[in-house]
């Protein structure tokens, strides 16, 4: 009881606060997303995401070297193909853009961990994450046939040099199918980072500019989760764990810290939080207008993700955060 107990005693100086700090963000927690496009010498800024670029493979390699030099251990690759079709050919073809980028980065920066986003929406002509029923404009993806495409994509990415496969399409059974495909192809040691609790979120808007993947009709609510649900997230992670997931992801992060916490409490697997495009763009817009201190807001947000239970954070702020942590 006051005056015996005075919590402010441990807040009196910077060094004392550092000594008793419960949650610390380090560069080892960070994963940097990159968008690969065909061509050479291309660095096209995403209009809705200041500071984020679509990059040709040569530029991806240069960026990967910078990321590694900053102490960030991993990148996640997304691809924008030249051509899109209903078979999502660019996702699983051995000469696909993510495959080319993964191979080039692995040759240039072998110690950098490459995560391949394993989804189909960037590669389908309709912008959905798999096969659709002919004439169905609701966006209802045919689950089981899509698993075969995801399996082929994962194996192709692993052959190209991806260290981790990250399926994000929220298909039922996708972890099991991908695990079986990887094992059959000799990639038993390649881990799966499952987008286990991926919500149908309005926070993805700018990403669809970056990945050029908006649905041409309907939406993704028939396969991504309802933002109102939390118990369902625990069901999803239980299924993914049973199917062989090695790590779990919650996406988005900012409005879903309660989900991150519940997932972390329910499992001993590493948990990743995806600090998504809309979250990034809101901070950038406010900072560019002088309304907030960008560095303080970003670091406070990343600390919040870790405090809620995230072991890993995928964030477009990763390079800036790494520099701030070094300073």
């Amino acid at each position: 009881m006051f005056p015996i107990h005075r919590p402010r005693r441990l807040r009196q100086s910077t060094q004392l606060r550092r000594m008793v700090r419960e949650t610390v963000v380090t560069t080892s927690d960070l994963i940097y997303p990159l968008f690969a496009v065909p061509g050479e010498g291309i660095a096209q800024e995403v209009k809705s995401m200041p500071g984020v670029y679509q990059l040709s493979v040569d530029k991806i390699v240069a960026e990967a070297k910078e990321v590694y030099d900053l102490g960030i251990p991993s990148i996640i690759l997304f691809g924008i193909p030249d051509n899109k079709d209903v078979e999502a050919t660019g996702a699983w073809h051995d000469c696909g853009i993510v495959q080319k980028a993964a191979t080039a980065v692995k040759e240039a920066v072998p110690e950098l961990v490459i995560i391949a986003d394993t989804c189909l929406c960037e590669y389908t002509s309709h912008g959905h994450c798999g096969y659709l029923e002919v004439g169905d404009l609701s966006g209802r993806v045919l689950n089981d046939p899509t698993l075969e495409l995801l399996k082929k994509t994962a194996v192709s990415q692993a052959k190209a040099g991806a260290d981790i496969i990250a399926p994000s399409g929220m298909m039922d059974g996708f972890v099991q199918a991908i695990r079986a495909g990887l094992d059959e192809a000799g990639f038993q040691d390649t881990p799966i980072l499952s987008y286990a609790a991926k919500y149908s979120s309005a926070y993805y808007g700018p990403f669809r500019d970056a990945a050029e993947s908006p649905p041409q009709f309907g939406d993704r609510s028939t396969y991504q989760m309802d933002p109102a649900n939390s118990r369902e997230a625990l069901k999803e992670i239980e299924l993914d764990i049973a199917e062989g997931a090695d790590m779990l992801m919650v996406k988005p992060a900012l409005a879903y810290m309660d989900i991150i916490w519940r997932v972390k409490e329910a499992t001993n697997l590493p948990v990743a939080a995806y600090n998504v495009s809309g979250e990034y763009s809101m901070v950038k817009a406010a900072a560019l207008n002088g309304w907030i201190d960008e560095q303080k807001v970003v670091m406070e947000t990343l600390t919040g993700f870790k405090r809620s239970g995230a072991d890993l954070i995928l964030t477009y702020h990763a390079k800036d955060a790494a520099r701030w942590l070094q300073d």
Side-chain angles (χ1 to χ4, degrees), residues 224-251:
Q224 295 176 358
M225 289 177 56
D226 187 333
N229 294 353
S230 58
R231 292 192 301 272
E232 184 183 7
L234 301 184
K235 179 180 180 179
E236 289 281 3
I237 69 160
E238 288 171 3
L239 291 170
D240 285 4
I241 291 170
E243 292 175 14
D246 300 284
M247 297 178 278
L248 305 167
M249 191 189 300
V250 176
K251 181 181 180 181

Side-chain angles (χ1 to χ4, degrees), residues 36-188:
V37 295
E40 189 174 348
I42 297 171
Q44 177 68 42
E45 189 171 28
V46 180
K47 186 176 180 181
S48 57
M49 299 179 70
V52 173
Y53 295 81
Q54 295 177 334
L55 301 169
S56 52
V57 171
D58 56 317
K59 295 288 187 179
I60 289 274
V61 169
E63 194 81 351
K65 290 178 179 177
E66 181 182 0
V67 166
Y68 183 74
D69 289 343
L70 286 169
I72 299 167
S74 180
I75 59 172
I76 182 167
L77 290 173
F78 299 89
I80 301 97
D82 265 331
N83 299 297
K84 305 187 179 195
D85 55 47
V86 295
E87 294 283 335
T89 306
W92 49 264
H93 197 283
D94 288 343
C95 293
I97 186 61
V98 163
Q99 286 79 357
K100 289 181 178 179
T103 299
V105 170
K106 185 55 65 177
E107 290 175 354
V109 198
E111 293 185 5
L112 187 69
V113 175
I114 301 172
I115 304 172
D117 178 78
T118 307
C119 195
L120 307 175
C121 60
E122 297 109 302
Y123 307 93
T124 55
S125 50
H126 45 67
H128 283 283
C129 299
Y131 283 118
L132 297 181
E133 187 77 56
V134 176
D136 185 355
L137 299 182
S138 69
R140 187 183 303 276
V141 172
L142 298 176
N143 192 92
D144 295 7
T146 297
L147 298 181
E148 292 303 311
L149 290 182
L150 291 172
K151 184 191 296 188
K152 288 201 298 183
T153 301
V155 171
S156 176
Q157 292 170 338
K159 286 180 178 177
D163 299 292
I164 298 173
I165 299 300
S168 60
M170 289 300 289
M171 296 295 111
D172 294 339
F174 68 166
V175 173
Q176 179 175 298
I178 288 171
R179 183 73 274 156
L182 291 171
D183 290 354
E184 290 166 5
F187 295 101
Q188 296 91 343

Side-chain angles (χ1 to χ4, degrees), residues 253-268:
L254 191 60
Y256 297 85
M257 289 199 200
D258 61 317
I259 306 300
I260 299 170
W261 174 259
R262 294 192 68 172
V263 169
K264 187 61 180 178
E265 289 291 290
T267 177
N268 290 320

